[in-house]
Amino acid sequence: MTLRAYLDHNATTPMRPQAIAAMGEVMREVGNASSVHAFGRAMRAQVDRARTSIAALVGAAAADLVFTSGGTEANNTVLQAAGRRRLIASAVEHDSVRLAADGIVPAPVNGDGVIDLGALQRLLAASDEPALVSVMLANNETGVIQPVAAAARIAHAAGAVVHCDAVQAAGKLEIDMAALGADYLTVSAHKLGGPQGVGAIALRPGVAFAPMLRGGGQERGRRAGTENVAGIVGFGVAAKIALRELPRMAALAAWRDKMERSLAQLAPDAHVFGCGAARLPNTTCVAMPGVAATTQLMALDLAGIAVSAGAACSSGKVRPSHVLAAMGASDADCASALRISLGWTTQADDIERLVAAWGDLNRRLSPANRPAAA
Ligand code: PLP
C-alpha cells in the first residue's frame, strides 16, 4: 500500500532530494578524508563544507562540531564525555539521554511538560558535587519547548555544565547555542531532511570532552572512526535548506493549530498534551479518550495515514510514555495518545484526510458517542 499522508515527521523526515543527490555524487568518488593525497583532500573538503552548514544551524563554530552516528550516540557520548558523575536530566528526555548512564536524577516537569526550575535548583543544591544537567530544547512526543536558557543559568550558577538535546528542535526553531547557555548541544540529520545514521555534538569552545570512541585521530581526536562522508554531506545539505526554510515553520504552525481546532470540534473531550506551553510548530499529541492508541494507529494506517502512538511500542509491547506519565497524565489518557507530526512534505490535503479519518474513528469508537445504556 502506498502511504498517502505521512504525518510522522518526528520519527523521521523524508530526505530532501538535494541531499540525496549530493550523497549520490560523493559516493561515486573514492577517498578517505584522513588521507593526504588529492582524493582524501577532496573528501575532507566535503566534510568541512558540511561542518560549516551544520554549525551555522545551531550557532556553533565549525571547529567545535563533532560528527557521530546519530542523535543517540551524540547524547550517550555527552553524558560520558563531560566527566561529571552527577547527572540530572529533565524527566521528559529521550531515552538516549535518560538511559545513557546509571543513576540519572530526573528533574520533574509540570502538567504541560515544562521543567520545574525551582525543583531543578533544589536538586542542584542537594550536593556540592558538580553536575551535568541535561534539558532538551523540544520534546519528541509533545513538541513542548523547554526554558533551556533559564535552566542553564540556574545550572551554571551551581557549577554544573549543560547539555541540550536539540534533535527535534533543529530545523524547526532558530537555535543559538550560546544564547541557550548550552555547553553541549546534540542534533541528528534524519529529523531535518538528511539521512538516518548521522548526527553531531556542538561544543562550547574549551569545554571538557573525553572521547567515547577511541582508536583514531578523526574529528580532532574527539570521535575515532573513518567519517561517514556521504551521510555527513547529506546532513550538511539538509541543514542548509532547513536553515533557509525556517520562516516557513509559521505556516506549518498555522496548519497545525487549525487541525487541533478541527479535532476539538469533532471530539470536545479530546485532550492536546502540552497545549498550555510553547510547542514546536509541527507537533500535536492528542488523546481520544477511551480508544486505544494502537486501535487508532491501525485504523489510520488502513486509511493510508501514518502517525505514531504517544505510547512507544517496543518489541511488540506498548509501554506507557514516560513523557506523558511525568506530566501527570492518567494511564487512560496515556493509552489513547496519538502523535501527529507535520513536516516539509505536508500538504493541506494530508491534514484534511487525517481530520476526516480521525473524526470517523471517534464517531464509531469513542465511548462518548455510545448511546447510554437503557
Ligand atoms: N533525541 C530526541 C529528542 C529524539 O527524538 C531522537 C529520535 O527520535 C533522538 C534523540 C535519537 O536520534 P537518532 O534517531 O538519530 O539516534
Side-chain angles (χ1 to χ4, degrees):
M1 183 192 68
T2 323
L3 288 176
R4 281 162 294 158
Y6 184 80
L7 296 173
D8 201 13
H9 287 254
N10 286 13
T12 198
T13 308
M15 278 187 67
R16 297 277 185 179
Q18 301 93 320
I20 298 173
M23 288 176 73
E25 266 176 47
V26 78
M27 284 171 88
R28 276 182 218 105
E29 304 295 328
V30 66
N32 184 319
S34 299
S35 299
V36 292
H37 50 59
F39 295 94
R41 291 200 309 276
M43 287 295 165
R44 165 73 40 221
Q46 295 267 16
V47 170
D48 286 345
R49 216 175 358 260
R51 198 186 298 280
T52 302
S53 303
I54 297 151
L57 185 70
V58 297
D64 296 315
L65 199 84
V66 182
F67 285 115
T68 66
S69 68
T72 299
E73 183 193 320
N75 286 341
N76 269 257
T77 301
V78 169
L79 266 69
Q80 318 284 341
R84 302 280 169 107
R85 279 182 315 175
R86 188 170 170 232
L87 303 167
I88 299 173
S90 91
V92 294
E93 294 298 306
H94 188 263
D95 280 353
S96 58
V97 168
R98 228 165 52 95
L99 306 178
D102 291 332
I104 299 178
V105 177
V109 296
N110 68 16
D112 274 317
V114 178
I115 188 168
D116 177 340
L117 294 173
L120 174 65
Q121 199 156 23
R122 287 190 291 279
L123 284 173
L124 282 160
S127 160
D128 286 339
E129 188 178 346
L132 175 140
V133 172
S134 187
V135 182
M136 69 201 322
L137 187 45
N139 186 265
N140 42 301
E141 290 184 33
T142 60
V144 168
I145 296 170
Q146 297 294 340
V148 174
R153 276 193 294 275
I154 291 169
H156 286 150
V161 287
V162 174
H163 164 235
C164 176
D165 174 351
V167 165
Q168 288 293 345
K172 298 174 189 141
L173 300 179
E174 211 172 296
I175 299 178
D176 176 348
M177 78 176 281
L180 288 174
D183 299 291
Y184 307 86
L185 183 136
T186 44
V187 287
S188 175
H190 76 105
K191 308 291 189 183
L192 51 83
Q196 298 176 351
V198 55
I201 308 167
L203 304 172
R204 176 175 62 72
V207 77
F209 190 87
M212 186 161 82
L213 296 186
R214 296 154 200 254
Q218 292 91 348
E219 297 299 285
R220 298 172 180 242
R222 295 182 292 208
R223 199 270 189 182
T226 301
E227 293 91 341
N228 168 9
V229 178
I232 289 169
V233 165
F235 190 3
V237 171
K240 209 168 178 172
I241 298 170
L243 186 58
R244 197 174 63 218
E245 297 203 347
L246 269 182
R248 295 178 68 165
M249 283 294 145
L252 211 60
W255 279 2
R256 190 273 312 271
D257 293 347
K258 183 163 171 252
M259 174 183 80
E260 288 185 357
R261 284 195 296 274
S262 304
L263 299 183
Q265 270 168 7
L266 289 166
D269 59 338
H271 171 69
V272 173
F273 293 96
C275 60
R279 284 181 295 151
L280 288 176
N282 77 317
T283 309
T284 293
C285 185
V286 60
M288 186 191 287
V291 185
T294 42
T295 307
Q296 300 178 52
L297 199 67
M298 285 186 285
L300 292 173
D301 189 36
L302 281 174
I305 299 162
V307 295
S308 271
C313 185
S314 67
S315 337
K317 286 190 195 141
V318 174
R319 53 193 165 86
S321 150
H322 71 273
V323 174
L324 304 184
M327 292 164 67
S330 66
D331 286 352
D333 263 1
C334 287
S336 63
L338 214 62
R339 179 185 70 186
I340 305 159
S341 50
L342 322 182
W344 70 272
T345 55
T346 302
Q347 304 287 323
D349 179 50
D350 298 332
I351 296 173
E352 281 162 22
R353 293 188 48 233
L354 176 277
V355 169
W358 192 89
D360 180 48
L361 242 168
N362 182 64
R363 245 184 329 275
R364 287 189 291 117
L365 298 179
S366 169
N369 293 324
R370 277 185 215 133

